[in-house]
Amino acid sequence: MSLVVVGSMAFDALETPFGKTDKIVGGAATYISLSSSYFVKPVNVVSVVGGDFDQDHIALMHKRDISTEGVQVKENEKSFFWSGRYFNDMNSRETLATELNVLGDFDPIIPESYQGCEYLMLGNLAPQVQRTVIERLNERPKLVVMDTMNFWMDIALDELKETMAMVDVLSINDEEARQLSGDYSLVKAAKKIMAMGPKFLIIKKGEHGALLFNEDKVFFAPALPLEEVFDPTGAGDTFAGGFIGYLASCNDTSFESMKRAVIYGSAMASFCVEKFGTERLKNLTKEEIENRVQQFVNLVQFDTVLQ
Amino acid sequence: MSLVVVGSMAFDALETPFGKTDKIVGGAATYISLSSSYFVKPVNVVSVVGGDFDQDHIALMHKRDISTEGVQVKENEKSFFWSGRYFNDMNSRETLATELNVLGDFDPIIPESYQGCEYLMLGNLAPQVQRTVIERLNERPKLVVMDTMNFWMDIALDELKETMAMVDVLSINDEEARQLSGDYSLVKAAKKIMAMGPKFLIIKKGEHGALLFNEDKVFFAPALPLEEVFDPTGAGDTFAGGFIGYLASCNDTSFESMKRAVIYGSAMASFCVEKFGTERLKNLTKEEIENRVQQFVNLVQFDTVLQ
């Protein structure tokens, strides 16, 4: 099934306890499209970059059957840039620099070849831009998944709520769920947030896994216990890419299918954090992915013979 | 199979965001024995109380086939007392008062009727006291499970390591595992801690579940997402009681059996936090427990048909 991915394509400069990078390729659409490309082809990206963007990376995307027809190139401008430093626990970070550049006035263009897509992944962006993308599709996709962050809750809550009401699945982290709902209990938070529109809610808890809510049902996927989390940048986007990629590949949006999609998303995220940036996502094999999924099965599976 | 439980029997005064209590019955052995009594009978307790201890609670223990023959009563002294306040997130708390009282010079006595027990649960106590209990048993039990806390890592690390080397299973929380090992990664921490003696390690992560390690194997049990955690006091001890109670009931100490035991322990803990103190543990039915275990199955179970 056809998939459209919207989000930033950017440069990141990262510092973790394990080292630091110069400007490397990052951005939500970068991670989402790479991750989903292991499940569905083509992946159609809507984004914007400056003339400084890395052409080798564009070539890698094409090699993985990721279409960049919807990626605007503003030759005389610079790509979005983010710089951040992670603390020892890898769960907290500080932003050192944010330069919006081309993202400041991003007006998304949907190529004709993307029309009719059945799966739409709205990566983290201004909610009014996410909404514009939905409105510029001639037909409403079968499934719309939206990622966002606390920043938009702080400065654009009304627009965020308007866009949220138009999507099927919302993906946020635990702190964002608490902020958006005003409830500490994630079970209560989930009820309030689903009442705002999305029928499905994913709450990401980083190293503590992810919860999937739908009506009164809840599913939990752990994160894989790893020796080292080398660089958590992009883990949430990689999760989202695996999640929607899996759903698009089997074209089944039932709760049972979404459970498996959460596991595939978690498996993809567990690769992402093993190296800096997108490094680990460039060359995975189908076998590596299936083995990783099997590790999730082994991690939580127990014989349910009761006494 | 016969089970001996060692630990404090105490009074607690608690403050949570939902209210506060006067002195209510608490203590590690209290929670462990109540929890394990749903799996195995009798549960044989080794502890010490003052003349002020609650006789109704002793009667409740007897009603649940919990033997108090090994509970010393020091008529002219006072029972151990702890007072604490939980913060909004329920994961952090501050101690308002600790009065050791009878626990200050606790010299455990093992009644003749307890000798030959096959399962031993060492609840949180001074590690030299835990060690004394092992030494006073004529035969080494089939399985010794030990709980401890950061307090002993701070003031009695050598004694703690000596006792740890004598047990099969160690149960601690994530922060304690990091402190004991000096590693932030729980996977690395687990390897170091198992090298200190225990073949099995349980790392409790509160609302984020629990990990069970053995050699290169790892199992994860989530905590049940609850609308409210009313009072987390005793959750870890209740977990331990369900864990060892389940193992004693089926007399199987394999890794597969321990996985199920972690789920039963988690189920028991999920009841504990629903009300203040031991309230919710006094009158559970077998059906309630099995239904709760089924909720854990539903929470993590997914159809593993791969693509």
Side-chain angles (χ1 to χ4, degrees), chain A residues 89 184-185 188 191 205 208 219-220 226-228 249 259-260 264 290 299 301 303 306-307, chain B residues 89 184-185 188 191 205 208 219-220 227-228 249 259-260 264 290 299 301 303 306-307:
Chain A
D89 69 0
Y184 185 83
S185 157
K188 287 189 172 180
K191 285 185 185 169
K205 305 199 297 172
H208 300 302
F219 174 68
F220 175 80
L226 296 171
E227 291 237 352
E228 295 298 1
S249 74
K259 286 182 183 182
R260 290 190 294 271
Y264 274 90
E290 295 301 338
L299 184 62
Q301 184 183 260
D303 177 1
L306 302 180
Q307 293 194 286
Chain B
D89 69 1
Y184 186 82
S185 156
K188 287 189 172 179
K191 284 185 185 170
K205 304 200 297 173
H208 301 302
F219 174 69
F220 175 80
E227 290 237 354
E228 294 297 1
S249 74
K259 286 181 181 181
R260 290 190 293 271
Y264 273 90
E290 295 301 339
L299 185 61
Q301 184 184 260
D303 178 1
L306 302 181
Q307 292 193 285

Side-chain angles (χ1 to χ4, degrees), chain A residues 278-289:
Chain A
T278 58
E279 202 52 40
R280 195 70 179 90
L281 300 178
K282 291 180 178 170
N283 243 322
L284 291 168
T285 64
K286 192 173 173 66
E287 194 185 359
E288 280 178 298
I289 296 170

Side-chain angles (χ1 to χ4, degrees), chain B residues 9-16 19-27 31 79-86 93-99 231-234 276-278:
Chain B
M9 289 172 62
F11 286 118
D12 292 340
L14 309 169
E15 264 186 71
T16 82
K20 58 191 288 185
T21 67
D22 290 329
K23 283 188 175 184
I24 58 173
V25 171
Y31 285 99
S79 301
F80 175 57
F81 173 67
W82 179 80
S83 170
R85 179 191 294 141
Y86 292 87
R93 68 183 185 188
E94 68 176 326
T95 291
L96 301 174
T98 305
E99 297 170 14
D231 170 20
T233 308
F276 267 124
T278 58

